[in-house]
Amino acid sequence: MTTRTSDQTTPDPAADPTTDPATASVKTFESINPATGDVVGTHPVHGEADVHAAVERARATADWWAGLGFDGRQEVLTQWRGVITRRLAQLCDVVHQETGKPHGDAQLECALAIDHLAWAGSHAAKVLGRKRVSPGLLLANQAASVEYLPLGVVGVIGPWNYPVFTPMGSIAYALAAGNTVVFKPSELTPGVGTWLADSLREVVGDHDLLQVVTGYGETGAALCRAGVDKIAFTGSTATGKRVMATCAETLTPVVIEAGGKDALLVDEDADLDAAADAAAWGAFANAGQTCAGVERVYVHERVHDRFVDLLAAKARTVHAGVDVDAKIGPMTMPGQLDVVRRHVADALARGGRAVVGGNEAVGDRFVQPTVLVEVPEDSEAVTEETFGPTVTVRRVRDMDEAVELTNAGKYGLGSAIFTAKRGDDLARRLRTGMTSINSVISFAGVPTLPFGGVGDSGFGRIHGPDGLREFTFAKAVTRQRFKAPLNLTTFDRTPEQDTMVATLLLALHGRASQLPKLPRRPLETIRGRRRG
Ligand code: NAD
């Protein structure tokens, strides 16, 4: 762990607003700069009582926030966006210190997060506001409408790899939808979480709109049990299962954004320079600690060798370190080094070959870019999330084989395709929540698009209209406009009226079975469609 725990009897009330400074003994932990081992900050380990108290305060604030309406909330979120943007350098510095990532990368994730905050605030009314819908023919006397109402209090549990962008994908959308939020940041990045909550306080003062509870997994579990109306979890698949089990105790709904093992497919007609450049960035950026990072590449056999040469050349221009030329930083979580070491060693022991990097690339804090070829498909380097700057490249007969191998994995977060012509067709056949054609990870930065996966990558969606609706419940309302000539919902209904209903049904739907039959398709096509 990069965190250390201690007890202190004189708590800093500013650091721990949930504890009475007069009486409490507060357990604390330190966040550590993974590049240097220096202490970045000290934070309270919030226990069950603290978390419950935070949720109670959030609930007491929920009516005020929901009552502001879309315009009032947008105004607050706009001001918050301004505060974050004006202090961007300060926020990026905390991100840099707690994760080790270069300042430029910290700025990029903050820029994308701000964009999402802007979109969520300005589109909530349109997406969630009340809309008239057709009542249909049988109940034509009703005016029907639907609107999406806030759930109340949302608990957000976040990871460390993008400590601003990732939780903001839930926080911004939950707030814009009218909820208050209690946020449990990763134990590796508590300073970033605290910074975000403090910056919103500058706009809303004493209102407990966004509170942070810090600590380890137990603090997250306490949040799951604290009676929130939904948990938005982002983290590993293993923890996602634990979160779901805990939430099941109270039937608390969850959205799970979990791990990935994203594939990049390179077709024979692809722009190979662009594909290699994107593969390198997708695999090595943020030291490979990206949920939707490129971890495996499937390349058409006609262009495989040339692609590997281009990717290898690109990989050799990237190195991990703290010097000014370093393009990537350290592994943020030391425990992840063991996973990377194990995957690389296993791949090489089972016949794989390192074109760049290899066993010796995995150091004490840093991992140098590693390109592996000829790795068996059932090795851990291909089946499990590595979360380091390594990538496997495999030669495939054609794109059908590439699709089959991609879909054989248990994860289904994102994917990418480089091709001149067949992007849309291939994208539809890939069992992943998102696909970029001729770029990597672009879907994450487009606020209008839903973000999320299938299979072991989780379920539910953040971002875009789906992300706003994720933090609401649909409210259906009918209002009787006039007395129906044919009243169906009364014990006074007569047999004649039942006959009229049957006649009406026949007129409306009875002809359906007499329509021409659909042309028969070969079974294989139908199966392929279903899988896609
Ligand atoms: P993690 O699962 O170890 O921790 C995530 C969060 O869950 C942390 O805040 C942690 O304290 C908390 N937690 C741990 N145990 C808990 C419990 N029992 N109950 C409630 N909360 C608990 O993940 P991590 O190491 O912080 O992040 C890396 C993982 O996150 C990778 O697998 C990565 O793919 C994934 N991730 C996914 C997305 C996505 O959008 N799909 C985005 C970023 C990261």
Side-chain angles (χ1 to χ4, degrees):
M1 300 292 300
T2 49
T3 52
R4 298 177 198 143
T5 311
S6 69
D7 281 302
Q8 65 176 44
T9 44
T10 49
D12 171 5
D16 180 13
T18 63
T19 307
D20 177 1
T23 56
S25 164
V26 181
K27 215 171 189 191
T28 60
F29 69 106
E30 292 166 341
S31 64
I32 306 293
N33 183 325
T36 60
D38 295 340
V39 174
V40 180
T42 303
H43 301 266
V45 178
H46 285 123
E48 208 170 297
D50 303 315
V51 174
H52 271 266
V55 171
E56 281 313 306
R57 283 193 298 273
R59 194 160 300 288
T61 311
D63 280 350
W64 165 75
W65 181 237
L68 285 187
F70 291 114
D71 289 347
R73 294 198 294 264
Q74 187 187 347
E75 178 58 33
V76 169
L77 296 180
T78 303
Q79 286 186 33
W80 186 27
R81 173 157 54 99
V83 173
I84 297 175
T85 308
R86 286 192 295 277
R87 303 255 186 84
L88 197 58
Q90 196 187 49
L91 174 59
C92 292
D93 207 42
V94 187
V95 173
H96 166 71
Q97 287 186 49
E98 289 196 327
T99 65
K101 71 175 72 180
H103 276 98
D105 286 358
Q107 179 169 289
L108 180 60
E109 77 159 288
C110 292
L112 293 173
I114 290 166
D115 215 24
H116 275 287
L117 183 54
W119 192 90
S122 58
H123 286 78
K126 188 165 175 225
V127 175
L128 306 175
R130 184 167 168 265
K131 283 181 197 68
R132 293 279 297 269
V133 294
S134 164
L137 275 178
L138 286 177
L139 292 173
N141 64 325
Q142 305 289 327
S145 67
V146 61
E147 64 184 315
Y148 294 85
L149 301 178
L151 294 167
V153 181
V154 170
V156 174
I157 300 176
W160 45 264
N161 59 332
Y162 290 91
V164 177
F165 175 75
T166 297
M168 194 61 100
S170 296
I171 293 170
Y173 290 80
L175 290 176
N179 305 279
T180 54
V181 172
V182 178
F183 172 35
K184 150 71 179 85
S186 165
E187 51 272 40
L188 276 69
T189 53
V192 177
T194 305
W195 192 100
L196 286 174
D198 288 350
S199 64
L200 182 51
R201 283 230 180 251
E202 287 184 30
V203 180
V204 295
D206 289 344
H207 291 294
D208 294 304
L209 190 51
L210 170 64
Q211 299 170 83
V212 164
V213 289
T214 50
Y216 301 95
E218 296 75 32
T219 306
L223 186 55
C224 296
R225 293 197 177 94
V228 295
D229 299 291
K230 187 158 201 169
I231 286 285
F233 168 81
T234 309
S236 63
T237 303
T239 308
K241 290 177 184 174
R242 284 195 282 275
V243 164
M244 222 176 141
T246 309
C247 287
E249 294 167 15
T250 46
L251 213 63
T252 301
V254 287
V255 43
I256 302 279
E257 301 291 349
K261 188 78 192 174
D262 287 10
L264 184 155
L265 286 64
V266 184
D267 205 353
E268 59 182 318
D269 60 2
D271 175 340
L272 291 189
D273 287 312
D277 186 64
W281 190 80
F284 309 138
N286 206 33
Q289 304 164 119
T290 303
C291 57
V294 175
E295 297 216 352
R296 41 189 185 136
V297 185
Y298 297 112
V299 191
H300 195 291
E301 58 186 5
R302 292 210 182 97
V303 294
H304 172 272
D305 293 353
R306 184 157 157 61
F307 174 83
V308 170
D309 287 347
L310 288 167
L311 176 58
K314 199 84 205 171
R316 290 189 192 100
T317 68
V318 178
H319 77 270
V322 285
D323 54 290
V324 284
D325 295 328
K327 299 256 186 345
I328 56 178
M331 298 301 288
T332 304
M333 188 167 73
Q336 201 62 28
L337 279 161
D338 296 335
V339 177
V340 179
R341 191 174 288 115
R342 199 178 70 234
H343 286 191
V344 173
D346 179 56
L348 297 178
R350 299 185 56 197
R353 197 160 52 82
V355 181
V356 179
N359 285 326
E360 65 286 355
V362 188
D364 283 347
R365 292 182 197 269
F366 298 90
V367 178
Q368 301 305 330
T370 291
V371 179
L372 302 164
V373 294
E374 293 149 31
V375 180
E377 279 296 293
D378 61 353
S379 74
E380 284 188 319
V382 178
T383 60
E384 300 294 332
E385 183 179 53
T386 305
F387 228 51
T390 69
V391 64
T392 62
V393 184
R394 182 189 170 96
R395 181 194 307 273
V396 290
R397 200 176 51 246
D398 52 26
M399 286 299 102
D400 289 342
E401 187 184 4
V403 169
E404 201 175 302
L405 292 172
T406 301
N407 289 348
K410 61 186 176 182
Y411 296 103
L413 190 57
S415 53
I417 306 164
F418 274 76
T419 178
K421 297 193 198 85
R422 302 205 294 148
D424 289 331
D425 171 46
L426 291 169
R428 201 168 298 119
R429 291 169 58 196
L430 290 172
R431 192 181 152 276
T432 61
M434 303 150 304
T435 301
S436 296
I437 301 169
N438 294 332
S439 70
V440 287
I441 326 180
S442 306
F443 43 72
V446 178
T448 38
L449 284 177
F451 185 98
V454 298
D456 272 15
S457 294
F459 54 83
R461 292 294 180 265
I462 54 174
H463 301 176
D466 298 79
L468 283 165
R469 286 191 205 103
E470 190 75 54
F471 299 107
T472 63
F473 66 95
K475 179 75 178 183
V477 175
T478 57
R479 184 175 51 78
Q480 182 151 311
R481 292 185 298 155
F482 54 86
K483 206 164 167 246
L486 186 60
N487 189 0
L488 303 175
T489 55
T490 170
F491 289 118
D492 298 336
R493 207 174 57 223
T494 63
E496 289 73 26
Q497 286 175 324
D498 283 345
T499 307
M500 282 173 72
V501 171
T503 310
L504 190 61
L505 268 182
L506 202 59
L508 286 175
H509 306 293
R511 288 184 59 247
S513 63
Q514 292 165 14
L515 293 174
K517 290 221 159 35
L518 288 173
R520 289 181 74 86
R521 274 180 292 139
L523 202 56
E524 264 318 294
T525 326
I526 296 169
R527 285 204 185 116
R529 270 276 168 88
R530 278 209 194 115
R531 247 186 268 125

